[in-house]
C-alpha cells in the first residue's frame, strides 16, 4: 500500500484485540444508575438527607452539566 501524504501508510483492516475486564466496571455501573430526583427553589423543598452529596459549581457555560453527564455515562441526566 502506498504511503499517504505525510508518510503514513493507510491501514486496510482493523483487528479488535480482547482486553482484560475493566477493574472499575462496578464503580461505573453504580454511577450509570444515577437519576434525577427533584428540583427545589427553597431548602424546605429539598429531599431528605440520605448520605453523601456532590455539588458542581462554576460559571455559566463552563461544562458542569456535560461533566455530570459524562461521569454518569448518560446523555441527558443534567440538562441546561
Amino acid at each position: 500500500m502506498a504511503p499517504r501524504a505525510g508518510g503514513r501508510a493507510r491501514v486496510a483492516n482493523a483487528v479488535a484485540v480482547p482486553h482484560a475486564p475493566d477493574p472499575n466496571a462496578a464503580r461505573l455501573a453504580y454511577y450509570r444508575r444515577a437519576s434525577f430526583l427533584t428540583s427545589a427553589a427553597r431548602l424546605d423543598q429539598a429531599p431528605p438527607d440520605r448520605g453523601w452529596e456532590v455539588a458542581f459549581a462554576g460559571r455559566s457555560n463552563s461544562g458542569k452539566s456535560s461533566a455530570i453527564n459524562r461521569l454518569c455515562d448518560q446523555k441527558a441526566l443534567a440538562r441546561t
Side-chain angles (χ1 to χ4, degrees):
M1 206 175 275
R4 296 189 309 181
R8 295 185 184 167
R10 210 179 315 176
V11 176
N13 294 320
V15 177
V17 178
H19 61 282
D22 186 357
N24 294 316
R27 186 177 319 162
L28 294 174
Y30 177 77
Y31 290 119
R32 285 185 186 121
R33 293 186 342 218
S35 62
F36 179 78
L37 291 177
T38 187
S39 61
R42 297 186 322 263
L43 187 57
D44 63 338
Q45 297 172 329
D49 183 12
R50 292 194 195 138
W52 294 87
E53 294 181 10
V54 176
F56 282 77
R59 294 176 176 245
S60 62
N61 227 13
S62 63
K64 297 177 297 290
S65 60
S66 296
I68 293 168
N69 289 333
R70 183 69 178 201
L71 287 169
C72 296
D73 196 26
Q74 297 185 32
K75 292 184 179 180
L77 176 62
R79 294 182 227 152
T80 55

